[in-house]
Amino acid sequence: MYKRILVATDGSKLSQQAVEHGLNLADLTGAEVVALKVIPRYPQTYFEGGMALAAAEIARIEKQWHTEAMDAVNAVKSAGQLREVKVKPVTVKSDLIAEAIIAAAKRNKCDLIVMASHGRRGIKRLLLGSETQQVLTHSHIPVLVLR
């Protein structure tokens, strides 16, 4: 049924549900898993009243984000090893999270994307946006959303 499943994670408790479902589905179908964490770029715009950070401080923050992202995808790999599911840990640096998820799924030849939704509604959704909604809208690959 599925040969390669992309599981998007941000390391949160909610995304852990998507990880569990993705790994279980991979175990049932014999699929491989691509565990993906998108790392944002450090914002380079400065708002009135904002304080600019030194390049070394920005590099330190970005390195910390990368380390945390690797921890998140390696945790998926470890959970996959317990189930004997092959997991490829992947991190991508992008400010466009939904586009990065879709591109990673295409690049890794995935035939399913598994991700969680925070289920925001109303003004929160309008202000914060929905990466899950963007993936659902723009992906040509099937998407399994867990809430």
Side-chain angles (χ1 to χ4, degrees):
M1 182 173 200
Y2 298 114
K3 291 184 169 83
R4 190 165 294 133
I5 300 170
L6 183 135
V7 177
T9 184
D10 61 8
S12 70
K13 189 174 184 179
L14 183 61
S15 72
Q16 186 58 33
Q17 291 177 325
V19 167
E20 291 297 319
H21 276 70
L23 290 173
N24 288 338
L25 187 57
D27 190 26
L28 289 171
T29 62
E32 295 178 5
V33 169
V34 175
L36 175 71
K37 168 78 169 97
V38 180
I39 308 166
R41 295 185 190 326
Y42 190 84
Q44 296 297 317
T45 58
Y46 304 104
F47 298 101
E48 187 176 324
M51 187 170 71
L53 293 177
E57 182 65 12
I58 291 171
R60 185 193 65 75
I61 291 167
E62 287 184 332
K63 182 179 180 186
Q64 178 182 342
W65 288 349
H66 183 265
T67 300
E68 291 169 359
M70 288 305 299
D71 290 346
V73 294
N74 284 328
V76 177
K77 183 176 182 176
S78 295
Q81 287 173 336
L82 295 174
R83 294 177 172 88
E84 297 182 8
V85 171
K86 183 178 177 184
V87 177
K88 176 183 177 184
V90 176
T91 61
V92 176
K93 194 175 200 180
S94 177
D95 292 326
L96 305 171
I97 295 169
E99 289 181 18
I101 291 169
I102 293 167
K106 287 180 186 176
R107 188 173 42 257
N108 288 282
K109 296 179 174 68
C110 296
D111 42 18
L112 178 69
I113 298 171
V114 178
M115 60 190 304
S117 173
H118 290 278
R120 292 184 185 102
R121 298 190 186 281
I123 194 73
K124 283 186 180 179
R125 181 172 174 190
L126 180 65
L127 293 174
L128 299 173
S130 171
E131 299 303 330
T132 305
Q133 183 63 39
Q134 290 294 318
V135 172
L136 282 167
T137 303
H138 298 291
S139 177
H140 297 290
I141 299 167
V143 181
L144 173 61
V145 179
L146 299 148
R147 287 183 46 176

